[in-house]
Amino acid sequence: MEPREQLKQWIEESNNIVFFGGAGISTESGIPDFRSVDGLYNQTYEYPPETILSHNFYRRYADEFFRFYRDKMLYLDAKPNKGHLALAKLEEMGKLTAVVTQNIDGLHQKAGSKNVYELHGSVLRNYCERCGKFHSVEEIVNSTGIPVCECGGRIKPDVVLYEESLNPKTMEKAIKAISEADMLIIGGTSLVVYPASGLIHYYNGKKLVLINKSATAMDEKADLCIKDSFGEVMDEAVQSLLRE
């Protein structure tokens, strides 16, 4: 059976689909992928992005951290693309039970997905390190230097930096969702960032689908591999289901 037909058939047969994705999902919304050819990792800064986006750098050079963060990490005008919208539609149809994402842009929720586990946090949430007060992303954008709360504490984006641990509760929920899924769709991730990418080993089913433009280390273990645009492939599958 042709891969796209197989995908459609499996979606039709399943009612506990989980999606696991990374930066490649958001590149179709104009947000650069760190590891793509034109991604941040291939640009030149005084420090490499991995260093700037680390816990130690944030602690020692907060000014420089926020300069980079405002300039390169916030894409507030980005809109959900066909991939985000297709996943939200599958959830609405009662087919998809969870989205597990490494992305921090909030586009899955903007598309309408309700059950989203953000492994690396979100740029849309920011908290005072002293009093815990919530601050919007607009406050970060409109501030200069190090953003400070009314109480005098530093405001930190709720994103997981290098050297920081993932939220154990979010991990727990993601593992449970993946281990109980009857179909796991993976898209837009090179599957090299641990511990997040290790989560897919909790999947026990026979419908492991990889939709990615480039090859990944898991291609041979997948039950179905489609090398193409995630948004196009998923949109086509969901639209054909809706027509039936």
Side-chain angles (χ1 to χ4, degrees):
M1 190 184 286
E2 198 268 328
R4 291 188 184 217
E5 277 303 309
Q6 182 72 80
L7 173 68
K8 190 188 135 196
Q9 186 185 316
W10 281 356
I11 291 174
E12 219 161 3
E13 295 167 355
S14 307
N15 56 16
N16 188 357
I17 302 168
V18 170
F19 169 71
F20 177 87
I25 300 303
S26 295
T27 52
E28 292 175 40
S29 291
I31 296 177
D33 173 356
F34 270 42
R35 288 174 176 77
S36 70
V37 178
D38 303 309
L40 294 180
Y41 280 69
N42 293 288
Q43 297 175 18
T44 312
Y45 296 93
E46 207 172 324
Y47 301 92
E50 298 103 316
T51 302
I52 298 173
L53 297 173
S54 70
H55 179 81
N56 275 330
F57 193 92
Y58 168 76
R59 285 272 158 247
R60 294 178 63 191
Y61 309 107
D63 240 326
E64 186 65 10
F65 170 89
F66 278 106
R67 196 166 69 83
F68 177 88
Y69 184 80
R70 286 187 190 95
D71 186 33
K72 295 292 174 191
M73 303 302 291
L74 301 176
Y75 292 87
L76 304 186
D77 295 331
K79 303 272 190 296
N81 60 55
K82 286 179 179 177
H84 296 108
L85 295 167
L87 293 168
K89 181 53 79 176
L90 283 179
E91 185 180 18
E92 195 186 298
M93 292 164 71
K95 292 265 174 204
L96 184 134
T97 52
V99 165
V100 179
T101 181
Q102 298 173 85
N103 296 342
I104 57 175
D105 50 45
L107 289 180
H108 284 293
Q109 291 93 326
K110 214 180 252 189
S113 290
K114 304 278 190 293
N115 200 27
V116 182
Y117 301 128
E118 295 172 308
L119 299 174
H120 296 155
S122 171
V123 297
L124 304 181
R125 296 188 299 269
N126 304 274
Y127 296 95
C128 171
E129 292 185 315
R130 185 182 293 172
C131 73
K133 184 186 171 185
F134 172 84
H135 291 268
S136 70
V137 66
E138 287 76 21
E139 287 179 69
I140 303 290
V141 172
N142 297 325
S143 63
T144 52
I146 301 167
V148 176
C149 177
E150 295 90 335
C151 77
R154 180 158 70 185
I155 300 168
K156 183 182 187 289
D158 186 18
V159 298
V160 179
L161 302 176
Y162 287 98
E163 304 161 351
E164 292 181 344
S165 303
L166 302 193
N167 182 298
K169 281 189 180 169
T170 307
M171 283 286 278
E172 207 177 291
K173 288 175 182 172
I175 288 169
K176 186 173 189 294
I178 289 169
S179 64
E180 293 174 355
D182 60 6
M183 180 175 183
L184 179 63
I185 301 174
I186 299 172
T189 172
S190 53
L191 295 173
V192 295
V193 178
Y194 278 80
S197 55
L199 289 179
I200 64 171
H201 299 300
Y202 288 94
Y203 176 63
N204 304 305
K206 298 272 189 285
K207 297 175 192 166
L208 175 60
V209 181
L210 269 176
I211 306 170
N212 222 32
K213 282 184 177 172
S214 52
T216 79
M218 287 293 289
D219 284 6
E220 286 176 19
K221 294 184 180 172
D223 301 303
L224 181 62
C225 209
I226 301 175
K227 286 191 173 60
D228 210 335
S229 152
F230 180 81
E232 295 300 332
V233 171
M234 286 304 295
D235 180 60
E236 183 189 295
V238 172
Q239 291 305 326
S240 64
L241 281 174
L242 291 170
R243 281 194 295 270
E244 288 181 0

